[in-house]
Amino acid sequence: MLLDEDPATLIHHTIGNFNIHPDKHAIARINESLSTLHQARDLRIRDSESALKKLSRNLANLSSQHQDTLASHSTTTHASQILDLDTQKFRIAKAASDLEIDGERLEQEVESLKSRLAELEAQGVEGDEIERAKREAEDPTLLKLKVYRSLGIDAEADASGSYTRAIIRNDRIGDFHVVNVDPKTSKNFYANHIWQAL
C-alpha cells in the first residue's frame, strides 16, 4: 500500500498532535496524593503503635495487680468471714424476734393498764363503794369523819395532820360556824358548843 505522504512526516505530525502535558500534571497530582496518603498512614500507624504499647503496659500492670490479689486472697479466710457474718445475721434476727415479742407483751400490758386506769378514773379518788366501805370499816377516823359529815360538820386538819378546826353548817337557817379546837380545852365544852350550833 502506498501512502500519499512520507511516513516520517506523518509520524511527526501525529506526535505533534498528542498533548501529554495534562496527563503528566494528573500523574504528578496522583503521585503527590499517594505520598500524602503514605505519610498520613505512617502517622496513624505510629499513633496506633504508641496507643497499643500504652495499653499493653496497662494490661501488664492490671495483670500483676490481679495476680497479687489472687495470691493474697485466702478461701479459708473468706469462708470464715461468711460463717461469722451468717452467725451475726442469725443473732440479729433472733434479737429482733425477741424484741418484737417483748413489744407485743408490753403493748398488752399497756392496754391492760389503760383499762385499769379508766376503771380507777371512773371510780374517782375515793374508789368505788366497796373500797370506800372497806376503808371506813378498817379506819375509825374515817368512820368518825363520815358521822360528822352526816351531821353537817366538816373537820379540817392542819399541816401536822391533827384536826384543829371544825366548820358547822346549819341548813335549817342557812348559817355556818367555824370552831377552832384547842387540845387544852375540855372536849365536853366543844361537844356542847357544837350541839348548840346544830
Side-chain angles (χ1 to χ4, degrees):
M1 173 176 172
L2 297 173
L3 297 173
D4 293 336
E5 294 184 18
D6 183 23
T9 304
L10 282 175
I11 291 171
H12 182 66
H13 284 298
T14 302
I15 290 172
N17 286 333
F18 280 119
N19 187 7
I20 62 171
H21 292 293
D23 294 335
K24 287 167 107 179
H25 287 302
I27 290 171
R29 284 196 306 274
I30 290 171
N31 286 334
E32 186 178 349
S33 296
L34 285 173
S35 175
T36 304
L37 286 175
H38 283 303
Q39 290 175 359
R41 189 184 70 173
D42 290 341
L43 183 61
R44 287 179 65 188
I45 288 172
R46 281 197 300 273
D47 290 342
S48 297
E49 287 176 348
S50 174
L52 180 61
K53 288 177 182 177
K54 185 177 179 181
L55 290 174
S56 297
R57 285 194 300 271
N58 286 339
L59 177 62
N61 288 335
L62 291 175
S63 296
S64 175
Q65 291 177 4
H66 179 65
Q67 292 299 328
D68 291 341
T69 303
L70 289 178
S72 65
H73 180 70
S74 172
T75 55
T76 55
T77 304
H78 180 69
S80 175
Q81 289 176 349
I82 293 294
L83 184 61
D84 290 342
L85 290 174
D86 284 342
T87 305
Q88 289 180 10
K89 180 179 75 171
F90 288 128
R91 284 182 187 160
I92 291 171
K94 185 179 183 310
S97 174
D98 293 343
L99 288 174
E100 187 176 351
I101 292 169
D102 287 343
E104 291 174 359
R105 181 181 55 78
L106 290 173
E107 284 179 3
Q108 291 174 355
E109 287 182 11
V110 166
E111 291 300 322
S112 173
L113 290 173
K114 282 182 181 177
S115 63
R116 180 67 182 143
L117 177 63
E119 289 176 10
L120 293 175
E121 287 178 348
Q123 292 173 6
V125 177
E126 295 184 356
D128 59 3
E129 294 296 329
I130 297 171
E131 291 296 324
R132 280 199 298 271
K134 282 182 185 177
R135 282 199 307 274
E136 289 171 359
E138 293 172 358
D139 191 352
T141 304
L142 290 177
L143 186 57
K144 288 178 186 177
L145 290 174
K146 186 175 181 182
V147 171
Y148 291 152
R149 270 195 217 105
S150 67
L151 294 173
I153 303 168
D154 287 333
E156 291 186 358
D158 60 7
S160 65
S162 301
Y163 293 96
T164 58
R165 185 170 160 173
I167 300 172
I168 306 163
R169 285 188 303 275
N170 192 333
D171 293 333
R172 285 179 293 132
I173 60 174
D175 193 13
F176 70 92
H177 296 283
V178 177
V179 178
N180 290 320
V181 179
D182 187 359
K184 297 176 183 176
T185 309
S186 168
K187 290 183 181 179
N188 290 332
F189 169 76
Y190 288 117
N192 291 334
H193 182 71
I194 289 172
W195 279 115
Q196 287 174 3
L198 289 173

